[in-house]
Amino acid sequence: MSYPSTQLSGHAFNHSQSQGAEAEYDRLRDLARQEHSKKSACMDKSRNAYERGDGAAAHELSEEGKRHGAMMEQYNKQASDFIFRENNAVGRVAGDTIDLHGQFVEEAEDILEQRIRYAQSTGQTHLHVIVGKGNHSANHIQKIKPRVEQICREQGLQCHQI
């Protein structure tokens, strides 16, 4: 799965955290953005090589681009896992709550669906989901909240804003 290479402004944490934790999250997202840039450059060069009739170079560059894409995915996964662990550590949120701050929409979707399955399998009757206001999204538009509401509708679950 590919995630956009946009940069979050401000903090991805919903609590007071160490500068080291914020720096690690930023480092992982920055590495992912760098890999995205390398992937894009390789794919552009691959297209140019193909148009020049150099199929071997086009293939080699395409494969290199795929490797950069895989690295981007790995760094984004590490960042997602890291921020989720930080924001959802014991004592930071209640057991019936998940905090999705700092997640890309697709990451938040995967986490939420996993958590819903877990809640249902353990007989939990409700789940609080912290999504943020969209302050760190492009144009300050909420992206995670509408997707959470859509998932709830698709699964026949009630969704209430608090």
Side-chain angles (χ1 to χ4, degrees):
M1 183 172 299
S2 181
Y3 301 109
S5 63
T6 57
Q7 185 164 359
L8 292 174
S9 58
H11 301 287
F13 295 87
N14 190 31
H15 58 83
S16 126
Q17 77 292 332
S18 73
Q19 285 183 329
E22 185 80 24
E24 177 61 7
Y25 173 79
D26 289 342
R27 182 186 75 82
L28 292 167
R29 290 295 191 197
D30 285 343
L31 288 169
R33 278 188 288 279
Q34 290 170 24
E35 292 298 328
H36 179 267
S37 294
K38 291 174 186 176
K39 172 188 168 191
S40 295
C42 285
M43 293 307 187
D44 287 344
K45 290 176 184 176
S46 173
R47 236 180 330 277
N48 291 338
Y50 182 79
E51 289 169 1
R52 287 191 322 265
D54 189 350
H59 177 72
E60 183 179 319
L61 288 162
S62 175
E63 291 301 312
E64 183 180 346
K66 289 176 189 177
R67 287 190 297 275
H68 286 298
M71 289 299 300
M72 176 191 71
E73 304 258 346
Q74 288 178 14
Y75 286 129
N76 275 327
K77 176 73 171 125
Q78 289 175 27
S80 172
D81 291 347
F82 179 80
I83 191 73
F84 187 80
R85 279 191 314 273
E86 286 290 316
N87 284 342
N88 293 277
V90 174
R92 292 216 169 111
V93 295
D96 63 350
T97 303
I98 59 170
D99 184 343
L100 298 176
H101 278 94
Q103 302 294 332
F104 291 147
V105 174
E106 293 87 355
E107 295 166 343
E109 178 181 350
D110 292 344
I111 291 166
L112 177 61
E113 289 175 345
Q114 260 184 343
R115 187 59 175 82
I116 288 171
R117 283 191 300 276
Y118 174 79
Q120 290 172 332
S121 73
T122 60
Q124 192 174 334
T125 60
H126 65 276
L127 177 65
H128 298 281
V129 181
I130 301 169
V131 296
K133 298 177 184 177
N135 292 339
H136 308 297
S137 298
N139 300 318
H140 300 288
I141 296 172
Q142 285 183 318
K143 294 180 181 170
I144 293 176
K145 180 183 175 198
R147 188 62 186 123
V148 166
E149 292 169 339
Q150 180 182 352
I151 290 169
C152 288
R153 279 192 307 274
E154 289 171 354
Q155 295 196 17
L157 304 171
Q158 294 179 5
C159 185
H160 305 284
Q161 183 173 334
I162 299 177

